Amino acid sequence: MKKIISLLLLFTFGLSSCEKDDICDANTPTTPRLVITFYDNAAPTTLKTVTNLKVVGEGKDDADAIIFNENGTSVTKYLTNANTISLPLKIDAKTTTYKLIFNATSANPNIDVLTFNYATQNVYVSRACGYKTTFTLNPRDNTANSGLIRTDPAGDGFWMLNINVFNSNIEFENETHVKAYF
């Protein structure tokens, strides 16, 4: 009888030391990207597709641009013809700068540079997934676009005529954060 009780106790302790596998579900929200949606400047509620848009991060060359089409050629994989794009922000910095090139394949592309200023916050997701970083565009002053600086390095005029920070809290990718009108 003592042997059976000892065996049952050993078996019970053996089962209690097992734990389930921690696997992060693919549907768990992770560090979000900044979502920019493009609209027609003449009809501000109408979505507008950007033609041959190429996005290059600061300090990167054109061969290190954001890849929009994995299956594209060496030229077309960096181009998008869409009305919405998602851009990653740096989690180890307080600013991220992108060069947005409109009509990138034409002889005279138009370049606007956007710099996003933000604060970061690490948020615990779960033991399996770890942490994610959320962003809040910084207010530099009391204007609507306080978390964003726009420049025209080539002096060819802004192709994005108006840019508005729509949602300064970047916590999810299923919502628009910045609206650009052209």
Side-chain angles (χ1 to χ4, degrees):
M1 186 71 174
K2 287 183 181 183
K3 288 184 180 181
I4 293 175
I5 292 175
S6 298
L7 188 58
L8 285 174
L9 286 173
L10 182 64
F11 182 70
T12 303
F13 286 124
L15 286 179
S16 67
S17 66
C18 294
E19 58 184 69
K20 65 178 184 158
D21 290 337
D22 282 338
I23 299 173
C24 186
D25 183 14
N27 296 324
T28 302
T30 57
T31 298
R33 294 175 292 175
L34 174 90
V35 178
I36 301 174
T37 304
F38 297 96
Y39 292 88
D40 188 346
N41 195 52
T45 58
T46 304
L47 292 172
K48 187 172 180 182
T49 300
V50 181
T51 305
N52 293 327
L53 178 66
K54 185 175 198 177
V55 180
V56 182
E58 179 181 39
K60 304 286 184 181
D61 59 18
D62 286 355
D64 290 326
I66 301 287
I67 296 174
F68 291 107
N69 181 7
E70 292 281 339
N71 299 323
T73 66
S74 61
V75 173
T76 61
K77 71 180 180 179
Y78 301 113
L79 301 176
T80 186
N81 293 303
N83 56 31
T84 301
I85 60 171
S86 298
L87 303 176
L89 297 175
K90 296 177 185 175
I91 61 171
D92 58 349
K94 301 298 179 196
T95 64
T96 301
T97 300
Y98 283 107
K99 180 170 53 172
L100 282 78
I101 307 168
F102 180 68
N103 278 330
T105 57
S106 74
N108 297 314
N110 195 323
I111 301 171
D112 286 1
V113 175
L114 298 179
T115 300
F116 300 96
N117 300 300
Y118 50 85
T120 59
Q121 181 180 2
N122 291 324
V123 178
Y124 181 74
V125 177
S126 69
R127 187 169 77 180
C129 299
Y131 288 84
K132 73 175 186 175
T133 302
T134 60
F135 308 93
T136 303
L137 294 176
N138 280 341
R140 291 180 295 115
D141 50 39
N142 293 327
T143 64
N145 296 324
S146 56
L148 138 78
I149 300 170
R150 177 172 64 148
T151 56
D152 181 22
D156 52 5
F158 291 112
W159 67 268
M160 288 181 279
L161 303 174
N162 190 11
I163 301 175
N164 293 321
V165 174
F166 181 69
N167 184 355
S168 62
N169 293 322
I170 304 168
E171 297 179 22
F172 304 102
E173 288 186 7
N174 60 353
E175 57 192 11
T176 297
H177 304 112
V178 174
K179 292 183 177 183
Y181 301 87
F182 72 104

